[in-house]
Amino acid sequence: MGNPAAIGPRLTTGLRVSAIATALLAAAPAGQAAGGDTVTLVTPVVYGTHLPGLGRPARTLARDIKKRSGGALVLDLKEPGDGTKPHEILDKVSDGRVDAGFATAGFWAAKVPAATLFAGYPFGPDAKAYLAWFDRGHGRALYQEVYDQAGLKVHVIPCAFGGAEAGGWFAKEIGAKKDLEGLRMRIFGLGARVMSRIGAVPVLVPGSGIPTAFDKGEIDAAELYTPAVDRTQGLQDAAKIIYMPGWHQPETVLELLINKDRWKALSQDQQGMIEAACRDLLQSSLGTSAGLQAEALASFSAKDSVRVLPWPADVLAALRASWAEIAREEGVRDYLFKQVLEDIEAFQVKDANKGASAAASRNLRGSRTRRRRRRRTRPGRAKSPRPRLRPDSYCCVFR
């Protein structure tokens, strides 16, 4: 936000309500501030709201919250660079310089290493697995604990799925693990460390500079965003090979961060509206984000002569082994990283076993039903109708 001092008047009428106003608010319809005042949360976003999958969910969330509250609760979205740079969002929300932020925790990996495990990480969960962990596991509690332990005054809510990233754009085909040795790739974060360990050379190139870097031969490969967003950046014109899956980020989780004091100042109804809006957006984006990526990949192949190829088996095995080493090292350095990673992996195993048991139980019930049906319909075994007994014959039945 351009002028932090401008927050004051807004909060005076919105969040910093007096005790009397709070009492009136409790008696007012859900979501309405006392006296018809509007509660406005200044909310910078990490991705432009024009971007499919990654940016548009923020717009959807703001629209839904405004509708649920009858206009009494508003997210004032600020585009990237509109007073707040993407990497500044976490600190600004924590300090109260902005009220909220819509981002993804991967941006804070250097400051809070364990946070990246909630954003999408190498060989991590897909959207369904994340949703199950948030709903039925310790995901939500651990998410909040990671920020609390880092001394950050934020309330965090997982709020949308942005989609799985592609495995990368390549200038030439990768036939085996040896082809990655010395390969210059634009890649960041944990994925860059994994690639580096098996011989690739991570190169720092801004997203907007990727096409030029390919043209000049400065890079041999690059990963940027999800396929749907890559299309908007014109990467299909810079390289003609995509490898799938995006092992380094099988899903992108988008979070809503709200300053803790701002969150506590909201009424329970307003808090409930925000939580419900994020929960519904998680559910709806689970399907829509996957559809966006599938459509983009199909379009690359059909319209742009892009070849969408699977990773060679030995490459994926090497990448997975490299990630296992890095995960162990991170766990030694940061006990929360280890705790979160072990928890989600244990949950996935337990959930998979539970699903397998439920499927086996359904199959067993179905098998028994089919056997009963076969017995009833087997030729030559039709039973004769049971004779009806007259009342005066009951005396003789059990002789």
Side-chain angles (χ1 to χ4, degrees):
M1 187 175 60
N3 180 13
I7 299 177
R10 185 181 291 113
L11 293 178
T12 301
T13 58
L15 293 175
R16 295 176 182 172
V17 292
S18 65
I20 295 175
T22 302
L24 290 172
L25 180 61
Q32 291 186 0
D37 289 341
T38 297
V39 176
T40 300
L41 300 177
V42 174
T43 309
V45 300
V46 78
Y47 296 118
T49 57
H50 65 289
L51 294 176
L54 292 179
R56 288 177 190 164
R59 251 188 345 208
T60 301
L61 178 68
R63 184 170 59 245
D64 189 19
I65 288 175
K66 185 175 182 179
K67 181 179 179 181
R68 288 172 187 260
S69 68
L73 182 60
V74 174
L75 297 187
D76 181 12
L77 301 181
K78 301 296 183 183
E79 297 293 332
D82 186 8
T84 299
K85 296 177 182 178
H87 67 273
E88 297 174 337
I89 290 177
L90 177 63
D91 286 336
K92 280 196 170 186
V93 174
S94 180
D95 296 343
R97 286 175 285 166
V98 296
D99 305 311
F102 194 83
T104 181
F107 274 79
W108 338 126
K111 184 182 184 70
V112 190
T116 194
L117 297 175
F118 298 92
Y121 61 91
F123 299 99
D126 60 11
K128 288 183 179 179
Y130 264 124
L131 186 60
W133 186 50
F134 290 143
D135 283 351
R136 304 194 305 273
H138 303 133
R140 282 294 306 271
L142 287 170
Y143 208 165
Q144 186 63 55
E145 183 181 353
V146 163
Y147 286 129
D148 290 345
Q149 290 292 331
L152 295 159
K153 294 182 61 177
V154 299
H155 179 80
V156 62
I157 309 172
C159 207
F161 292 114
E165 293 195 356
W169 294 80
F170 289 75
K172 60 182 180 181
E173 193 168 336
I174 303 299
K177 174 181 174 291
K178 62 180 178 59
D179 294 334
L180 292 176
E181 295 175 8
L183 180 133
R184 297 160 300 169
M185 184 171 185
R186 187 268 189 194
I187 186 170
F188 290 89
L190 292 171
R193 290 176 58 187
V194 171
M195 289 292 284
S196 177
R197 187 153 298 197
I198 62 173
V201 180
V203 180
L204 296 179
V205 176
S208 60
I210 290 177
T212 301
F214 267 117
D215 288 343
K216 292 183 176 180
E218 296 172 349
I219 57 174
D220 307 303
E223 64 85 20
L224 185 57
Y225 298 124
T226 59
V229 178
D230 286 352
R231 167 164 281 286
T232 69
Q233 307 303 302
L235 295 195
Q236 65 274 14
D237 299 322
K240 293 298 181 181
I241 297 174
I242 293 179
Y243 276 97
M244 294 292 291
W247 57 269
H248 62 290
Q249 193 157 332
E251 187 52 61
T252 305
V253 181
L254 300 168
E255 63 183 7
L256 178 65
L257 300 167
I258 302 177
N259 174 272
K260 271 196 174 180
D261 291 336
R262 313 290 197 274
W263 177 255
K264 291 175 183 177
L266 296 172
S267 70
Q268 289 186 351
D269 285 336
Q270 291 166 335
Q271 291 177 357
M273 286 177 195
I274 294 173
E275 291 276 1
C278 279
R279 185 168 58 250
D280 289 351
L281 187 53
L282 273 175
Q283 290 281 359
S284 63
S285 61
L286 187 149
T288 55
S289 63
L292 279 172
Q293 311 323 319
E295 289 174 11
L297 290 171
S299 179
F300 286 142
S301 180
K303 298 179 180 179
D304 303 291
S305 301
V306 172
R307 296 191 307 163
V308 181
L309 304 176
W311 287 103
D314 72 320
V315 171
L316 271 182
L319 291 168
R320 190 181 293 275
S322 175
W323 162 243
E325 292 177 1
I326 291 169
R328 281 194 295 270
E329 293 168 3
E330 284 298 310
V332 170
R333 283 192 284 267
D334 182 354
Y335 81 95
L336 267 179
F337 188 99
K338 182 175 186 290
Q339 180 184 354
V340 171
L341 186 58
E342 288 180 348
D343 189 89
I344 193 168
E345 288 178 345
F347 176 84
Q348 286 182 281
V349 171
K350 181 180 179 181
D351 205 47
N353 290 339
K354 187 183 297 183
S357 298
S361 179
R362 287 194 298 269
N363 289 338
L364 181 60
R365 289 197 299 271
S367 178
R368 287 172 177 168
T369 300
R370 287 191 294 272
R371 285 200 298 270
R372 285 196 295 270
R373 287 172 179 168
R374 283 198 297 270
R375 283 198 296 269
R376 286 198 296 268
T377 59
R378 191 175 299 166
R381 292 181 63 87
K383 294 183 178 179
S384 301
R386 186 175 182 178
R388 299 181 63 185
L389 301 178
R390 299 189 312 275
D392 60 355
S393 68
Y394 288 176
C395 65
C396 305
V397 171
F398 298 106
R399 289 181 179 177

